Amino acid sequence: MLFYYPILTAIGMLYAVEHDGKLIYLGKNKPAQDIAQTRTELIMKLETELFEYFAKDRKSFDIPIEDTGTQWQINCFRAMRNIPYGETRTYKQLALAAGNAHAARAAGAACHNNQILILTSCHRVIGASGSLTGFAIGLEAKAFLLELEKHGAI
């Protein structure tokens, strides 16, 4: 079954979508009307963990995730989740961690297709020059998350 629920965060309203006990989406777009709006146990746990993250009391998440996409994208998503709290990686470093050091642009495309913001930490991936580049909900939100983690060491 599919369920969704809106979650108000420090970076605005995010919508969580659960499928069979796993998170499949966390982003700014409200799901289609044919999905039931239900605050499941998983979504309640996610709300708690996000609250703790924004309160600087959590560095990692313990939410089951169902990755979707190509095998390359899934490799990139897993590599993003392995970037430690408060650290960043370049697209080239992400590509290397995902299995192809020459695929920085493809790693950027995988970031663009990330369906699970914050938990799959595409906000920790930056340009080679250290510049902030693309983020689904805007560069201001990306900068906010990086600053939160930079000064939120617990």
Side-chain angles (χ1 to χ4, degrees):
M1 298 263 331
L2 280 171
F3 302 101
Y4 90 93
Y5 201 79
I7 301 173
L8 185 59
T9 72
I11 57 171
M13 185 67 71
L14 298 178
Y15 294 91
V17 179
E18 173 187 340
H19 176 252
D20 290 338
K22 293 184 179 178
L23 185 67
I24 64 167
Y25 179 80
L26 181 63
K28 68 177 181 170
N29 297 322
K30 185 176 180 181
Q33 296 297 328
D34 58 340
I35 299 176
Q37 181 175 328
T38 305
R39 194 167 176 242
T40 65
E41 285 186 38
L42 178 84
I43 291 173
M44 286 188 280
K45 181 177 180 180
L46 175 62
E47 284 178 305
T48 298
E49 291 192 10
L50 285 170
F51 178 82
E52 292 168 351
Y53 170 81
F54 284 108
K56 303 177 189 174
D57 291 331
R58 174 172 289 277
K59 288 184 178 183
S60 62
F61 295 90
D62 187 31
I63 300 292
I65 292 173
E66 181 178 318
D67 287 320
T68 58
T70 66
Q71 188 58 56
W72 169 253
Q73 290 170 333
I74 291 170
N75 291 348
C76 287
F77 300 152
R78 290 177 180 159
M80 282 183 253
R81 287 196 293 272
N82 286 326
I83 301 171
Y85 178 96
E87 294 184 21
T88 58
R89 299 291 184 270
T90 65
Y91 291 99
K92 183 176 182 175
Q93 290 171 319
L94 175 63
L96 177 63
N100 186 346
H102 303 291
R105 286 187 182 195
C111 287
H112 176 75
N113 289 305
N114 176 20
Q115 296 294 299
I116 303 175
L117 298 180
I118 303 172
L119 283 70
T120 301
S121 51
C122 59
H123 64 278
R124 295 179 187 151
V125 184
I126 60 173
S129 67
S131 61
L132 299 188
T133 58
F135 190 55
I137 56 177
L139 292 181
E140 187 175 298
K142 185 172 188 165
F144 177 87
L145 293 172
L146 291 173
E147 193 66 19
L148 174 84
E149 292 183 9
K150 180 180 174 184
H151 296 293
I154 42 181

